[in-house]
């Protein structure tokens, strides 16, 4: 049998590493890093090998499952869609569009078909009950970016490869390989900063692997990042170190910010942060003195009660020090396709709009078209007009990934219908009435529409599918489902819906005066995309009208590499589009055309932060999460290579706390919160600060009905049982998953049960 070598992008995390996958027939022979990949240059992490095991995984679904007499049994594709139509359509007719909720999991962000076709499916469904992993992750960043820069993905990216000083808060990029920062081999990149004489500072309640690589690590009390960031800004103001440089003429609200941060003197916030005031002042001085510096903060600063304020203050600091939009600072990408901040004329934006509707029960505002997943359970289990009666999950496992998992699971059990598109029967999909198996990554093409908008260096890389799949392509599933929810029945004309999708995309572009194809004939442009169909047709279009595209005239615009999908297909290691270049003011999409340094909703929320300073700190223990190199949220624990070795789902506790609480290394602890209680093995370590404990999320695979045999053997516990769904960051609706107050007690060793 012929051996073939394929070059493709790893779909598992945001780093988008290039892989060299060798196959023989239907077998994956080997996986290694692609030395010629334009972004990763051969780097990979252990998760990449999981691709082979995922391909071979006997638990991975390949046939639709339909619940019959209480059991999920195999069915044909037609039977599955008929069942969906039979169960879902009457609910929509009787109870309205909002009766069906949708939850989108994190893998959709890595999925070309999902990025292109889910908007069409969601439009066809028309439900306001849209939820996603964004509100247990990065929504504060997107809210802050939208209010400050005018677009939700205009999140400045630290220019890691050219900076002299990197201040990292609540992120562990050595393990995550970057988050809202596509940057493979962060260890190498951080070492380079130090080798060129720069400095890396990590602020985190844990001494993470990233902290071990840094010049300096500061422990901080969970939830206090916004206070620290405000105190750093205050120091800049008080010590006359504010110097926005050329940004001054592009910024609104500088004086307002200067006034706001004055209330957060280091001496005032030190005890809340757990960092000495003089240390805070020194950190601010060093940040200001560095020739090129960037502040970067991620999940630990987002999944907390001041998530949006912390995200905003990160970029306030980058502006105040003159490091926003300058080489070696925090910069805006210019992605080849799908970049929302690359189209439209500056200063004509309407600005981002939130709160167009509210959740029925708690009245939480909509953000970028979705509601906080922290209120999903109550929308299901609270009776009344508008109650959610059905759930569609797409590559998601909210029972494990979202707060108060116990309540959510009970609420899902009470629904009239549950549909999942997934590769496993997991803790959530075990409750489904129909499961449509998604293709595995090697069975689909790949282009990172979302992640290249957050990359440390602009690149474009397209991977065709390695293996064919016997069932329908994923985009066809989405469109067939769109047919059902739009009343066309289970056998809708997918070609016709796809034609509508591409037509909508093209029409929007030709109607945009700033587009290179403004005013062109849509039919002529669509014809030029022949014979492509599906996501490839949409991608080709987006590339061609993008900032590096050929804009359909066959000739490069000046300085443009004339990108087309043809061209990418002929470049299996990707195309290097260069380091970031300054983009202010062209990148800005705020109504004013300026950086809004003091957006009104954020300014209004500062009072809440000030009030937090007055809080009585009772000295109780608080829980945080932790990222692990061989985990990716909840879904990779069925791959033997990624779960082997000692138990990773453990409670990290400081030796002093362990002694006081009578916890033993290797023993069991009972952790309880306002929402629930779990038992977890104890790991005593001084890598966590006193008063704080940590459990990784994404575990807890021993529920009955779960069909993930490897994961069930390494079950761990679901830490989200402890998260309180009533606690959210009010501006973004992001759940508070860090800093959860907990009680901890040792669990006595159980007596072995006598045989017989
Ligand atoms: S770092 Fe991420 S993209 Fe790179 S090999 Fe690992 S999982 Fe894949």
């Amino acid at each position: 049998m012929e051996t073939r070598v394929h070059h493709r992008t790893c779909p598992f995390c945001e780093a988008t590493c290039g892989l060299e996958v060798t196959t023989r027939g239907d077998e994956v022979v080997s996986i290694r890093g692609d030395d010629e990949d334009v972004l990763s240059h051969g780097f990979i992490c252990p998760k990449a090998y999981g691709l082979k095991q995922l391909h071979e995984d006997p638990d991975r679904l390949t046939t639709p499952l339909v619940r019959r007499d209480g059991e999920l049994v195999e069915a044909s594709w037609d039977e599955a869609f008929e069942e969906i139509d039979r169960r879902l359509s009457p609910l929509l007719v009787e109870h309205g569009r909002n009766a069906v909720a949708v939850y989108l999991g994190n893998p959709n962000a890595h999925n070309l078909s999902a990025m292109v076709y889910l908007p069409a499916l969601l439009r066809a469904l028309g439900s306001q009950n849209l939820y996603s992993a964004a509100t247990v992750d990065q929504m504060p960043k997107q809210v802050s970016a939208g209010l400050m820069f005018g677009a939700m993905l205009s999140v400045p990216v630290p220019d890691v490869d050219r900076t002299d000083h990197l201040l990292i808060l609540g992120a562990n990029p050595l393990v995550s390989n970057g988050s809202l920062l596509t940057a493979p081999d962060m260890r190498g990149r951080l070492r380079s900063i130090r080798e060129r004489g720069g400095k890396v500072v990590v602020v985190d309640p844990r001494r993470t692997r990233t902290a071990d690589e840094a010049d300096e690590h500061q422990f901080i009390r969970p939830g206090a990042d916004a206070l620290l960031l405000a105190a750093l800004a205050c120091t800049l103001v008080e010590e006359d170190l504010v110097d926005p440089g050329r940004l001054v003429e592009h910024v609104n609200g500088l004086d307002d910010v200067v006034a706001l941060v004055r209330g957060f003197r280091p001496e005032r916030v030190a005890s809340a942060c757990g960092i000495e005031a003089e240390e805070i002042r020194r950190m601010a001085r060093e940040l200001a003195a560095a020739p090129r510096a960037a502040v970067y903060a991620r999940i630990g600063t987002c999944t907390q009660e001041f998530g949006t304020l912390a995200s905003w203050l990160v970029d306030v600091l980058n502006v105040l020090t003159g490091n926003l939009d300058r080489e070696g600072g925090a910069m805006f990408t210019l992605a080849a396709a799908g970049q929302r901040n690359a189209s439209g004329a500056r200063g004509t934006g309407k600005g981002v709009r939130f709160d167009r509707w509210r959740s029925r029960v708690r009245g939480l505002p909509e953000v970028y078209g979705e509601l906080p997943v922290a209120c999903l359970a109550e929308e299901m289990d609270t009776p009344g007009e508008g109650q959610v009666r059905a759930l569609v999950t797409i590559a998601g496992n909210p029972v494990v990934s979202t707060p108060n998992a116990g309540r959510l699971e009970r609420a899902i059990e009470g629904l009239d219908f549950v549909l999942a598109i997934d590769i496993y029967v997991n803790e959530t999909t075990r409750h489904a009435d129909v499961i449509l198996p998604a293709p595995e990554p090697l069975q689909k093409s790949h282009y990172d529409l979302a992640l290249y908008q957050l990359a440390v260096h602009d690149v474009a890389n397209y991977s065709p599918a390695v293996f064919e799949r016997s069932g329908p392509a994923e985009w066809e599933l989405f469109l067939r489902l769109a047919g059902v929810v739009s009343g066309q029945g289970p056998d809708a004309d997918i070609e016709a819906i796809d034609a509508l999708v591409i037509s909508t995309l093209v029409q929007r572009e030709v109607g945009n005066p700033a587009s290179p194809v403004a005013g062109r004939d849509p039919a002529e442009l669509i014809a030029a995309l022949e014979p492509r169909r599906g996501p490839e047709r949409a991608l080709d279009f987006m590339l061609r009208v993008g900032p590096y595209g050929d804009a359909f005239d066959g000739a490069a615009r000046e300085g443009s590499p004339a990108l087309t999908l043809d061209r990418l297909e002929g470049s299996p290691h990707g195309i290097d589009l260069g380091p970031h270049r300054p983009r202010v003011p062209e990148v800005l999409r705020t109504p004013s055309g300026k950086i809004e340094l003091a957006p009104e909703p954020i300014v209004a929320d500062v009072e809440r932060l000030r009030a937090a300073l007055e809080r009585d700190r009772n000295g109780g223990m608080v829980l945080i999460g932790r990222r692990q190199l061989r985990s990716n949220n909840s879904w990779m624990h069925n791959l033997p290579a990624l779960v082997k070795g000692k138990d990773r789902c453990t409670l990290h506790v400081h030796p002093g706390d362990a002694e006081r609480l009578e916890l033993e290394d290797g023993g069991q602890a009972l952790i309880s919160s306002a929402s629930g209680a779990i038992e977890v093995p104890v790991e005593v370590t001084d890598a966590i600060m006193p008063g704080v404990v940590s459990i990784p999320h994404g575990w807890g695979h021993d529920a009955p009905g779960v069909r993930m045999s490897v994961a069930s053997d390494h079950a761990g516990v679901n830490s989200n049982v402890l998260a309180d769904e009533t606690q959210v960051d009010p501006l973004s609706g992001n759940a508070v998953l860090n800093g959860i107050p907990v009680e901890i007690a040792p669990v006595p060793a159980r007596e072995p049960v006598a045989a017989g």
Side-chain angles (χ1 to χ4, degrees):
M1 212 171 274
E2 189 191 0
T3 297
R4 297 183 59 201
V5 175
H6 313 258
H7 293 100
R8 67 168 293 128
T9 304
C10 177
F12 285 152
C13 89
E14 294 179 46
T16 74
C17 297
L19 306 178
E20 190 178 287
V21 181
T22 304
T23 61
R24 190 181 306 113
D26 192 41
E27 182 195 356
V28 176
V29 177
S30 69
I31 292 176
R32 58 188 293 272
D34 175 7
D35 293 335
E36 294 179 59
D37 184 88
V38 292
L39 186 63
S40 57
H41 308 290
F43 172 85
I44 54 172
C45 85
K47 285 194 288 295
Y49 304 108
L51 263 182
K52 174 174 162 60
Q53 293 188 332
L54 186 56
H55 175 66
E56 296 164 352
D57 189 348
D59 291 336
R60 181 171 55 79
L61 299 176
T62 55
T63 307
L65 300 180
V66 172
R67 191 170 297 280
R68 306 260 188 238
D69 301 324
E71 286 292 313
L72 281 169
V73 297
E74 292 192 354
S76 70
W77 289 97
D78 283 344
E79 287 168 340
F81 272 96
E82 280 158 17
E83 181 71 359
I84 295 166
D85 187 45
R86 190 179 74 79
R87 303 281 303 275
L88 199 55
S89 297
L91 284 174
L92 287 167
V93 170
E94 192 179 340
H95 300 289
R97 317 305 290 182
N98 293 343
V100 179
V102 176
Y103 177 80
L104 305 176
N106 165 284
N108 291 300
H110 306 247
N111 182 340
L112 176 62
S113 291
M115 294 297 292
V116 171
Y117 288 100
L118 281 184
L121 170 57
L122 296 173
R123 262 195 311 275
L125 177 61
S127 171
Q128 293 182 341
N129 276 303
L130 171 63
Y131 303 84
S132 85
T135 51
V136 282
D137 190 341
Q138 83 283 355
M139 192 57 96
K141 285 293 230 192
Q142 293 180 233
V143 168
S144 163
L147 292 170
M148 295 179 80
F149 311 118
M152 70 178 189
L153 278 180
S154 285
V155 176
V157 172
D159 190 5
V160 177
D161 297 341
R162 295 183 289 186
T163 197
D164 302 306
H165 188 104
L166 184 60
L167 173 58
I168 301 173
L169 298 98
N172 188 5
L174 237 74
V175 164
S176 68
N177 275 293
S179 177
L180 299 186
L181 167 62
T182 288
D185 188 18
M186 276 299 288
R187 184 193 300 275
R189 292 175 197 270
L190 295 185
R191 283 185 179 169
S192 293
I193 294 174
R194 302 179 69 191
E195 281 163 15
R196 58 179 180 262
K199 182 168 185 177
V200 178
V201 179
V202 172
V203 177
D204 200 291
R206 294 175 51 232
R207 193 177 63 246
T208 60
R209 285 171 70 169
T210 304
D212 283 338
E213 282 288 329
D215 298 274
E216 178 181 329
H217 169 234
Q218 298 280 355
F219 282 124
I220 185 169
R221 292 285 299 167
D225 302 271
L227 291 171
L228 172 66
L229 291 160
L232 292 170
C234 176
T235 305
L236 298 178
V237 170
E238 287 191 343
E239 302 191 9
D240 204 16
L241 297 171
V242 173
D243 182 12
R246 76 170 185 93
L247 290 179
V248 160
E249 62 180 295
H250 302 297
V251 168
N252 278 341
L254 187 56
D255 291 345
D256 297 333
V257 162
V258 165
L260 281 170
V261 299
R262 280 189 189 277
F264 297 91
R265 304 191 73 226
E267 293 71 18
R268 183 89 179 83
V269 308
S271 74
C273 295
I275 303 175
E276 298 284 334
E278 194 45 42
E279 285 286 275
I280 297 173
R281 289 192 178 275
R282 177 188 56 77
M283 290 165 71
R285 288 178 202 130
E286 289 182 1
L287 186 68
R292 303 174 298 180
V295 183
Y296 166 66
R298 259 306 279 133
I299 193 153
T301 65
C302 287
T303 50
Q304 54 162 281
E305 59 178 323
F306 302 112
T308 304
L309 285 175
S311 301
W312 163 67
L313 285 161
V314 165
D315 287 322
V316 164
L317 280 171
N318 284 325
V319 169
L320 295 184
T321 53
N323 283 303
L324 188 89
D325 198 45
R326 113 164 145 197
E327 289 178 11
M331 302 197 75
F332 297 98
T333 61
L334 185 59
Q339 183 140 4
R340 293 188 191 180
N341 66 16
S343 59
R346 178 172 69 88
T348 59
K350 297 187 181 70
V352 289
R353 286 183 300 156
F354 307 130
D355 203 7
R356 289 168 293 177
W357 61 87
R358 291 195 164 217
S359 69
R360 178 182 63 104
V361 178
R362 210 185 313 174
L364 291 182
E366 159 272 343
V367 177
Y368 295 123
E370 58 181 282
L371 291 170
V373 72
C375 62
L376 176 57
E378 68 202 26
E379 293 298 322
M380 294 173 176
D381 68 14
T382 308
E385 182 74 24
Q387 181 180 2
V388 168
R389 292 165 189 275
L391 175 67
V392 179
T393 65
I394 301 175
N397 190 359
V399 164
V400 170
S401 304
T402 69
N404 199 345
R407 179 178 180 182
L408 183 63
E409 180 146 43
R410 289 188 297 277
I412 291 174
E413 283 169 2
L415 292 175
D416 294 342
F417 182 67
V418 179
L419 164 66
I421 299 181
D422 213 290
I423 57 173
Y424 288 121
V425 182
N426 62 29
E427 295 73 20
T428 301
T429 64
R430 73 192 174 108
H431 299 293
D433 298 289
V434 178
I435 306 179
L436 301 176
E440 54 122 339
L442 295 176
Q443 290 173 329
K444 52 189 169 191
S445 60
H446 189 92
Y447 183 92
D448 277 299
L449 274 178
L451 304 181
Y452 289 152
Q453 301 189 41
L454 300 157
V456 73
H457 188 101
D458 288 325
V459 297
N461 203 338
Y462 169 80
S463 321
V466 171
F467 297 117
E468 280 188 18
R469 107 154 177 154
S470 55
E474 196 169 25
W475 64 275
E476 293 173 318
L477 293 186
F478 294 146
L479 292 188
R480 201 167 170 187
L481 202 50
V484 171
V485 298
S486 59
Q488 299 175 54
D491 301 309
D493 182 349
I494 290 171
E495 279 285 315
I497 305 177
D498 190 29
L500 192 62
V501 170
I502 192 70
S503 170
T504 306
L505 192 63
V506 174
Q507 295 276 2
R508 198 168 53 222
E509 196 66 28
V510 299
N512 177 355
S515 168
V517 292
R520 295 271 296 269
D521 176 6
E524 178 200 313
L525 295 175
I526 292 170
L529 299 167
E530 293 284 346
R532 295 191 189 277
R533 289 286 179 277
E536 274 65 29
R537 176 162 61 174
L539 175 60
D540 193 23
F541 179 73
M542 286 188 268
L543 287 167
R544 296 175 86 159
V545 300
Y548 311 92
D550 76 343
F552 280 60
D553 58 10
R557 284 170 281 167
E558 196 178 344
S560 157
L563 274 193
T564 62
L565 186 50
D566 276 350
R567 176 122 199 260
L568 276 189
E569 284 173 325
S571 309
H573 311 291
I575 292 181
D576 186 340
L577 300 170
H580 301 324
R581 287 145 284 216
R583 291 194 61 200
V584 169
E586 160 268 326
V587 70
L588 302 172
R589 292 292 174 274
T590 50
S592 63
K594 296 199 171 195
I595 297 168
E596 295 296 346
L597 209 56
E600 188 275 329
I602 289 180
V603 168
D605 199 34
V606 171
E607 190 49 44
R608 199 170 54 89
L609 185 65
R610 214 184 317 269
L613 275 173
E614 312 299 332
R615 268 189 219 158
D616 183 23
R617 267 160 253 287
N618 65 8
M621 302 294 291
V622 292
L623 173 71
I624 61 171
R626 67 178 186 268
R627 181 89 183 232
Q628 298 180 314
L629 181 60
R630 287 186 287 133
S631 287
N632 193 355
N633 301 319
S634 67
W635 74 274
M636 294 179 74
H637 294 148
N638 209 50
L639 308 177
L642 302 186
V643 289
K644 69 181 182 194
K646 66 176 192 163
D647 193 354
R648 302 207 304 272
C649 186
T650 58
L651 179 82
H652 279 186
V653 56
H654 188 271
D657 290 324
E659 188 177 348
R660 182 171 55 81
L661 296 165
E662 300 178 354
L663 301 174
E664 282 183 17
D665 192 65
Q668 288 281 117
L670 175 69
I671 322 292
S672 11
S673 73
S675 301
I678 55 175
E679 280 187 25
V680 61
V682 174
E683 198 175 341
V684 178
T685 168
D686 66 1
I688 192 152
M689 72 186 293
V692 182
V693 290
S694 159
I695 306 175
H697 90 281
W699 297 85
H701 305 298
D702 52 357
V706 168
R707 300 185 192 174
M708 299 194 298
S709 51
V710 175
S712 296
D713 285 346
H714 303 265
V717 288
N718 182 355
S719 63
N720 275 323
V721 166
L722 301 171
D724 180 350
E725 83 280 21
T726 66
Q727 301 298 309
V728 297
D729 167 41
L731 287 180
S732 65
N734 209 97
V736 176
L737 303 175
N738 277 312
I740 301 167
V742 287
E743 303 285 330
I744 306 172
V747 177
R750 293 189 175 90
E751 294 293 325
V753 179

